């Protein structure tokens, strides 16, 4: 499968947990069905929304096995291989490939200091070991470096990268990435990770979206993508405006950490919709506030509709 | 061993590598002897200077086994257990304890977003699993959060933490930490990680220092510590001023990354001094510039003396 | 003139200087004609692109007088009132109003620390003194705080603000601002300051754009705006893609400061196009590199066309 | 007066305001006496603690005139000339010199982007216009750039700068500045702006301190300075520890802005001590919380003693 084959809506799946903090396999399988029923074009396991930063290796393995089995080849499965630097990412690469990931998603090194040349070398070393397409994951809020668009296109042209997931929130850089990629013959599949500006990203030439909010309303993102493909930009905008209202579930608990605030809201909404059993998060996250959870449910009811209608 | 037992000079050992990138056990054993001969009060394996962020788990294990065997109980061995968040650190804790670490050193979570309450919970959960003393490692340049001094002292009073290694570069917060710890009856052993302000840190009440530069000149740091213990502050300052000149080895390669610039300088100096065989660093670090290496050797010769005298 | 009256393309005019560093009145008048000929809907004097941070009060006054006289009422003149905090901005407000500005543009306080409540109070106090519409200028790269979208809409509903110029580069916040403003009945005119994503910004509901690059190619931005008004999104995108290529003039001198790199590129291009006489910048800017200037001219020739055609 | 003439304790005076927000000349004169009675070696008007970022030009003028007249030549008067960039600072320089300032204190440019070369040029241009000694003010929290120690020493050797006020909180850089200055023959008078680490700063070779907290307890800082001059480091530390406890007045209102939290605490303490009439701050600061003010008074009573004893 070439990089160009990746397109459309590929939500970063949350990782449902049971009461003991273990991966809730049944809920995760239901989440996969919820996504595929909605028409998504792939799923991304072990991304930031999937609590990859929290999960130890056995739990990471359980997630990827479950998703691979549940998907059963119907759509591609992307797997996050998130670790501090090259050697440690390579350990993750070996496991993810052995478990059947269709593509890998890696960040620049973090915790350590790096230079741009070292970041480039990092991706080249990963690609040497990878037997499936490799995506670069640009997420400065977690990694604290921003990937240079020209470097990404160079790595695409050299066959190192098949694509980019851009969660940088830097729309100027994103435009430049899309333009440079087009000038280079489109070696990269470019995905935005920002679920509230998908209409604009598709207008300027993104190949797809990896929307955390797509856990909750995958059908909405599929509709935006289809409207854009049809050139019906007012329809794309209208659907995006609706989903931007749904995104307010992430603002219900302003005092909790970024982790609990975002992923916790997705899980609370999915629990309310009957897709997963528990909204529990990994340690050391402080549990989601009850008032905030009630507000999440209210917003879901208003924007997605009550659970019985949403399914 | 109680927290109060930790005091003095505890250098964060670099990890010598051979030409294939594996841990150079012989060089690491010589480095340990170089340190103990100089009179250090402990050694810290798998800290940032030890390339912990770069090393995969087998290499981490090799480092800790080698250091433990080489030290052979003559001084305490602290071990870094550096990973993204609670579950993953706990995996490291289990290994480090099984290998005989005398104390553990852990950071706040990184990559993920966390709140202060979650950071506190993280350390409490680690301490529940730890059978040896636990140190908090405050290194915002890597972790991107600053540990609150009052939280640290509270965790000390509750028996969660035995000490703190402060590499925050925030001297105001450090003063506050020392003062709050003193008011609480000194539950914490407080170490500064900043090798150029040790005289001042000891004056205001630090218990010791974890100096990266102590890889190269451990005897100098032992002299500062002794001068301070004797109340001979001018002597402490004079020795620190000498070591601050040695610290200029870190400024010889301004364009390389923080990793290559700092650790690479330590390794280049130790190679020049005949302690370790190679200055090689882990992937994806771009190798240390030859002109910079020559400048490092020149500074070492000026400040420490030529290799035959330094030993 | 109500806030709703502001719409379309309102470039932030550069401030041409003569060889002694004084305002070049003739060049500034030609720049105004260049803009109005192209069909812009307003001009913004004394913005960041206008070197407002560099100019002393007499020069600021000279700029605003010249622009006001040259425009002669054909389009609205917005004036930046940029200073550290409330009292000092109020001094600027009095001058700008006395010189006939049609609207004022103010940032949050900078240099001092402020809280959100203090920023809100700051804008309320400015509005009490203002006799013309007041715009909030959201430019975190200069001010180091980000304006809260909900606060901005609240200030719009309360009649404090007539609009917002968003140069934050935070497209998620921008979407939220547009949505909250629409829900509140559109009290604010919302402009994006990002010249490379105007198609997307207009798609999601921006009222206009304040493009620094519009100094060089105002007609291009007018075409985007018209295409968007006509619902011809492919045409808007195509024109924006062309202007994104022109934006590469800002990347010709990567080692100079943000000031020299951006404003210097605009001035160099305008000099090349024959609109202004000199590309000189204010002290202490180091002058634009000759090789970089040649590259700017080359890009302008490729994207805008040679000077004789561009006029 | 050469740069070397500046030494000792030079507090950055707060600016007392009356109920209408104008400069309270009587209180400011009493504050000057309070300082000189305590034995300070100079005073610094219009620094950050003096609300310079808030005051318009007439109020800045009133402050400097009042301080100059009250001091009446007994100690040197340093004056802040704080503005966005070169031209605007030069306007402030002309006024401050005409009002009799004995030395000027300027930051790097802010709001605009600058390069290191431009910052150096900025100080050189200021010095060309200055007829009294010029100090560089290194305050990254306000200016968002850090001054390079080697540049500062170079400017000292070239006769551009007479000294540095370091409020960077970067003790590593401070050590390097002191060492480089010593190697260059001490062209600079080096002051730390950090009131809780003065003992350590003096130990490593600082020439003095500009302590905001010195508004409240100038005699304490004079005692530290004297103890250090006598080589009695335990006494210096003990006094600093006492003042660090007093510094807790800055932590009584954690939710207010940096401005209100710090300067407001100084003013509240000075009002309690009977030195100034009102703790009012400039717009747009939200007034200091009553509970926090009570806590400030309590700390002052504990550490400085009740007002009747403190005078």
């Amino acid at each position: 499968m070439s990089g160009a084959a990746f397109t459309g809506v590929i939500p970063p799946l949350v990782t449902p947990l049971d009461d003991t903090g273990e991966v809730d396999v049944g809920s995760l399988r239901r989440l996969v069905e919820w996504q595929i029923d909605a028409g998504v074009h792939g799923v991304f396991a072990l991304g930031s929304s999937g609590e990859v930063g929290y999960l130890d290796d056995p739990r990471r393995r359980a997630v990827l096995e479950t998703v691979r089995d549940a998907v059963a080849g119907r759509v591609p499965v992307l797997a996050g291989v998130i670790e501090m630097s090259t050697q440690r990412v390579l350990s993750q690469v070996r496991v993810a490939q052995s478990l059947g990931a269709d593509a890998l998603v890696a960040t620049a090194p973090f915790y350590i200091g790096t230079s741009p040349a070292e970041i480039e070398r990092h991706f080249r070393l990963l690609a040497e070991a990878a037997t499936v397409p490799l995506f670069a994951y640009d997420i400065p809020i977690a990694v604290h470096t921003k990937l240079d668009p020209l470097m990404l296109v160079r790595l695409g042209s050299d066959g190192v990268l098949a694509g980019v997931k851009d969660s940088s929130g830097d729309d100027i850089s994103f435009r430049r990435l899309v333009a440079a990629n087009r000038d280079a013959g489109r070696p990269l599949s470019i995905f935005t990770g920002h679920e509230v500006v998908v209409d604009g990203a598709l207008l300027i030439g993104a190949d797809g979206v990896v929307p955390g909010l797509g856990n909750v309303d995958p059908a909405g993102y599929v509709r935006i993508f289809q409207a854009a493909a049809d050139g019906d930009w007012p329809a794309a905008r209208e659907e995006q405006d609706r989903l931007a209202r749904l995104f307010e579930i992430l603002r219900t608990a302003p005092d909790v950490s970024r982790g609990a605030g975002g992923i916790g809201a997705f899980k609370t909404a999915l629990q309310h919709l009957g897709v997963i059993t528990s909204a529990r998060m990994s340690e050391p996250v402080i549990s989601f506030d009850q008032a905030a959870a009630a507000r999440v449910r209210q917003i879901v009811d208003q924007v997605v509709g009550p659970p019985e209608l949403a399914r």
Side-chain angles (χ1 to χ4, degrees), chain A:
Chain A
M1 182 179 292
S2 81
F6 292 97
T7 181
V9 178
I10 304 182
L13 303 179
V14 300
T15 297
L17 301 176
D18 67 21
D19 286 348
T20 66
E22 297 298 322
V23 177
D24 176 350
V25 170
S27 287
L28 183 49
R29 295 184 70 98
R30 286 198 300 276
L31 176 61
V32 167
E33 292 307 312
W34 170 253
Q35 296 291 323
I36 291 182
D37 286 354
V40 300
H41 307 85
V43 293
F44 175 28
L46 299 174
S48 298
S49 295
E51 296 179 52
V52 69
Y54 299 88
L55 301 177
D56 57 16
D57 283 345
R59 287 179 178 91
R60 287 185 178 190
R61 175 182 284 268
V63 167
L64 189 49
E65 283 177 337
T66 302
V67 170
R68 177 205 58 195
D69 290 351
V71 167
R74 290 175 287 174
V75 295
V77 175
L78 286 70
V81 287
I82 307 301
E83 256 288 357
M84 279 180 258
S85 65
T86 313
Q87 285 178 10
R88 298 185 73 78
V89 178
L90 285 172
S91 299
Q92 301 287 322
V93 165
R94 284 187 286 270
V95 172
Q97 292 188 153
S98 76
L99 296 178
D102 295 309
L104 305 172
V105 184
T107 69
F110 49 94
Y111 185 86
I112 64 168
T114 47
S115 66
E118 288 166 0
I119 292 171
E120 180 162 348
R121 183 170 175 81
H122 169 75
F123 284 115
R124 289 185 185 276
L125 290 165
L126 298 185
E128 281 178 19
T131 57
V132 296
L134 178 66
F135 280 69
Y137 188 0
D138 194 11
I139 183 166
I141 197 173
V143 171
H144 300 279
T145 48
K146 172 78 186 77
L147 298 179
D148 173 34
L150 299 191
M151 177 198 74
L152 291 170
V153 173
R154 184 166 59 244
L155 291 176
S157 295
D158 290 355
V160 171
L161 292 179
V164 174
K165 181 196 169 189
D166 186 314
S167 296
S168 71
D170 180 339
D171 53 358
I172 296 170
S173 172
F174 188 75
R175 181 82 183 221
R176 200 173 186 219
L177 173 62
V178 169
N181 189 49
R182 189 172 41 221
D183 292 348
R186 303 178 66 100
L188 297 171
S189 287
I190 300 176
F191 286 75
T192 178
H194 286 299
E195 53 262 269
V196 300
V197 292
V198 179
D199 48 354
L202 293 172
L203 175 64
I204 70 175
D207 296 295
V209 55
V210 183
L213 190 65
N215 278 284
V216 181
D217 194 343
Y221 284 99
V222 172
R223 281 192 292 269
I224 295 181
F225 186 74
Q226 192 55 52
D230 297 342
D232 186 352
W233 297 105
R237 176 185 51 205
E238 195 169 337
E239 186 66 25
Q240 178 65 84
D241 281 337
R242 187 183 68 82
L243 289 165
R245 287 198 295 279
L246 182 59
F247 193 71
E248 293 295 310
I249 63 173
L250 276 85
R251 305 185 196 276
T252 54
D255 294 332
V256 300
S257 69
R258 176 162 56 88
I263 306 171
F266 296 152
K267 286 190 161 183
T268 300
L270 284 166
Q271 182 189 33
H272 180 54
L273 290 167
V275 179
I276 70 175
T277 301
S278 166
R280 184 191 171 105
M281 285 194 62
S282 298
E283 295 288 3
V285 174
I286 306 297
S287 66
F288 207 72
D289 181 75
Q290 283 311 307
R295 179 80 185 116
V296 167
R297 289 190 290 267
Q298 184 182 33
I299 294 170
V300 170
D301 287 350
Q302 287 168 351
V303 180
V304 183
E308 57 279 15
L309 299 179
R311 298 303 310 253

